[in-house]
Amino acid sequence: LCNDVTSKRNHTLKPRVVLPENYVKEMRPPSRKGDPVVVEFSIYVVDVNSINVEDMDFRVDMFIRQTWIESRLQLPEDIFEEGDDHVTLPPEFFNNLWHPDPYFLNSKVTEIAELTHKFSSVTLYRNQTVRYAARMHAIIACQMEFQLYPMDIQSCPIYIESFSYSNQKVRFRWSVAGVTINPELKLLQYHIGEPLRLEETNGYMIDKDGNYSRLVVYFRFERQIGHHLIQTFAPSSLVVMLSWFSFWLDLDAIPGRVTLLVTCMLTLVTMFTGLRADIPPVAYVKALDLWMAGCMMFVFAALGEFVVVKVLDKQYQMNKTKAQESMPRIIPVRLNGEKGSCGTVAAWEGSGVRCRKVDLTSPTSPPATTPAAHQVPGATAHLVGVERRQSILQVAWLDADTGQERVLWREIDKLSRVVFPALFLLFVTMYWPVLLLKTKASL
């Protein structure tokens, strides 16, 4: 029944709209005295359901409305219902009207949505204003930049301009409504920055070699970093901190220390490889690349520190063995236990043996049970001390305050426990402020 009523109404209304005899033949813009026809645009964005970083485009569903004045129409009063100032006509009537020919300059695909018929309508007002509305799908190309990824902000414009009519015939203008975004629209990884920036230009267009009217709306897609904080920055930071545990492991635990560091390195490499699949390969360095490279450098430095301390420990052990072998060993030998007799002291120094006689009854002579070190003459004791210091000076030394031996590789391990966390903290405090400042500068 409703369809019958609608069809009868449409059949009744269509003949009552009077068009000039030459209207269909000429199809000229309804300009007056050489002034261009002003076409007002407004867009209501329903959904942005796909932002494809690999193909560098995004899909948008929207209602687009165009309004202009058709001064050549003759509208009788009886086509309007009582109290109404407009009447809605079927889409077929749009083909009999002059209408502008806008198109999306940077669109890959543009189509009018349809179910059983195309979702479009034509509305006529008493003051000869024509409004055309349609539900459209469009895939818009966008030149994306990823230097600040994953805190990048993509500015994606939509260019609307006339295909055939220059700005002397048709001029586009944003209406008061402009571009409105559905308040319930939510994206997974992005936030649409508002207010949207709208522009109107009337200048030379190199693509058509003439002066044409153009409308531009800029969509600002701000990537939400929460996903990458949980999936990237926090795990990589924990892996770097895990590598510092090797500084507390004893140097003898070679399998455990090497396994820990190599596992940390492989974890970062695997994580970095997975992140590269999310964005297209680009020829420049991204912010995430700097972060992952920094983390890998810290783990690699910890692995290099282990190699250094292991080499120093080996050198220390070799020098210690040589020092013990070259140290003189002095053994007193009593040749005659009678009073007034003489004894002989034998000293083994390397492969040589030195002997000297001492008077065992002399009050200045040391007893036979005195330690051998105190029985060495002053010059010989000084020579032995110098030889020992020179042999292990590079890898070990005696603390002047405590008198205890300090080994170089142990000191490096202790120092690394403080230096590595301090340098990583410095890296973090430099990375994030610079990244945030660059992000704000790109707004």
Side-chain angles (χ1 to χ4, degrees):
L1 180 60
C2 293
N3 293 334
D4 293 340
V5 174
T6 304
S7 62
K8 290 180 180 180
R9 182 187 176 189
N10 293 339
H11 178 75
T12 304
L13 291 178
K14 287 171 62 177
R16 302 302 300 274
V17 181
V18 182
L19 300 175
E21 294 181 358
N22 60 350
Y23 185 86
V24 178
K25 295 180 181 180
E26 295 185 0
M27 295 298 289
R28 294 176 300 176
S31 58
R32 293 181 178 180
K33 298 180 181 180
D35 296 331
V37 178
V38 177
V39 181
E40 293 188 350
F41 274 82
S42 65
I43 296 176
Y44 180 79
V45 178
V46 180
D47 189 19
V48 179
N49 52 21
S50 176
I51 301 177
N52 193 338
V53 297
E54 295 184 357
D55 296 333
M56 292 200 297
D57 57 33
F58 66 99
R59 178 185 173 92
V60 57
D61 295 340
M62 56 187 170
F63 287 100
I64 185 168
R65 292 181 289 270
Q66 309 171 48
T67 304
W68 69 94
I69 296 178
E70 178 56 83
S71 59
R72 294 169 293 187
L73 288 180
Q74 300 177 9
L75 304 177
E77 291 294 331
D78 57 355
I79 69 170
F80 300 100
E81 296 184 0
E82 186 177 356
D84 291 343
D85 62 344
H86 66 277
V87 59
T88 301
L89 301 177
E92 291 80 8
F93 185 78
F94 187 66
N95 297 327
N96 297 327
L97 286 174
W98 176 90
H99 50 271
D101 57 347
Y103 75 105
F104 297 127
L105 179 63
N106 57 332
S107 67
K108 297 180 178 180
V109 177
T110 304
E111 59 184 3
I112 298 178
E114 59 181 303
L115 186 58
T116 57
H117 62 281
K118 291 185 177 181
F119 296 151
S120 61
S121 65
V122 179
T123 304
L124 300 180
Y125 291 83
R126 291 181 183 270
N127 60 356
Q128 298 179 322
T129 299
V130 181
R131 187 185 72 172
Y132 174 75
R135 170 74 180 264
M136 304 186 68
H137 306 308
I139 298 178
I140 307 298
C142 177
Q143 301 300 318
M144 300 182 181
E145 299 290 341
F146 300 100
Q147 284 91 347
L148 301 179
Y149 180 86
M151 292 189 65
D152 54 319
I153 298 177
Q154 306 298 340
S155 181
C156 298
I158 297 180
Y159 300 102
I160 304 174
E161 66 180 46
S162 177
F163 187 82
S164 303
Y165 301 105
S166 65
N167 58 3
Q168 296 180 352
K169 297 294 184 180
V170 175
R171 184 162 297 181
F172 291 161
R173 187 175 64 186
W174 288 112
S175 66
V176 178
V179 180
T180 309
I181 297 179
N182 182 7
E184 297 181 357
L185 175 60
K186 294 182 180 179
L187 303 179
L188 292 180
Q189 296 188 25
Y190 294 89
H191 171 72
I192 300 181
E194 295 188 66
L196 302 179
R197 184 159 61 96
L198 306 180
E199 291 184 359
E200 301 175 3
T201 59
N202 293 280
Y204 179 79
M205 303 300 170
I206 190 173
D207 54 328
K208 290 191 288 292
D209 192 20
N211 296 325
Y212 287 79
S213 180
R214 173 183 291 182
L215 299 179
V216 186
V217 52
Y218 291 91
F219 289 88
R220 191 172 70 250
F221 300 115
E222 303 174 0
R223 192 184 300 271
Q224 299 180 5
I225 199 173
H227 168 75
H228 291 278
L229 284 177
I230 298 174
Q231 299 294 331
T232 304
F233 291 102
S236 58
S237 299
L238 292 177
V239 171
V240 174
M241 296 177 186
L242 183 63
S243 66
W244 300 339
F245 293 169
S246 63
F247 303 142
W248 274 266
L249 295 178
D250 191 78
L251 197 58
D252 295 334
I254 296 178
R257 197 161 179 173
V258 172
T259 302
L260 175 62
L261 294 174
V262 173
T263 302
C264 292
M265 178 63 72
L266 293 178
T267 302
L268 290 177
V269 172
T270 304
M271 187 182 304
F272 182 64
T273 303
L275 292 174
R276 292 177 59 185
D278 295 338
I279 57 175
V282 293
Y284 45 81
V285 179
K286 303 179 292 294
L288 186 62
D289 296 339
L290 295 177
W291 173 265
M292 297 303 297
C295 293
M296 294 176 66
M297 286 181 59
F298 276 99
V299 176
F300 183 79
L303 184 60
E305 188 269 352
F306 167 72
V307 175
V308 171
V309 297
K310 185 59 182 175
V311 172
L312 292 177
D313 177 64
K314 185 177 181 180
Q315 184 67 29
Y316 167 73
Q317 298 295 339
M318 292 176 58
N319 291 347
K320 187 177 181 181
T321 302
K322 290 181 180 180
Q324 291 177 352
E325 291 178 354
S326 61
M327 185 179 299
R329 293 175 294 172
I330 302 174
I331 302 177
V333 179
R334 184 180 296 275
L335 299 180
N336 192 345
E338 296 180 0
K339 183 178 181 180
S341 61
C342 296
T344 302
V345 176
W348 279 264
E349 183 174 1
S351 59
V353 179
R354 295 182 304 180
C355 298
R356 68 184 181 90
K357 293 182 179 181
V358 296
D359 187 1
L360 299 178
T361 60
S362 175
T364 59
S365 300
T369 59
T370 303
H374 294 285
Q375 297 178 12
V376 181
T380 305
H382 176 71
L383 178 62
V384 172
V386 171
E387 290 178 354
R388 179 172 182 180
R389 286 196 301 272
Q390 291 179 349
S391 61
I392 61 174
L393 182 62
Q394 298 179 354
V395 292
W397 65 92
L398 294 178
D399 194 316
D401 299 330
T402 61
Q404 296 180 353
E405 184 183 37
R406 304 184 66 176
V407 184
L408 181 59
W409 69 264
R410 290 196 183 98
E411 299 301 322
I412 293 177
D413 263 354
K414 292 179 181 179
L415 187 62
S416 299
R417 299 171 189 175
V418 179
V419 173
F420 273 73
L423 291 178
F424 185 73
L425 182 61
L426 179 63
F427 170 68
V428 172
T429 54
M430 291 180 60
Y431 178 86
W432 285 107
V434 172
L435 183 59
L436 291 175
L437 289 176
K438 288 185 174 292
T439 302
K440 291 182 178 180
S442 63
L443 292 176

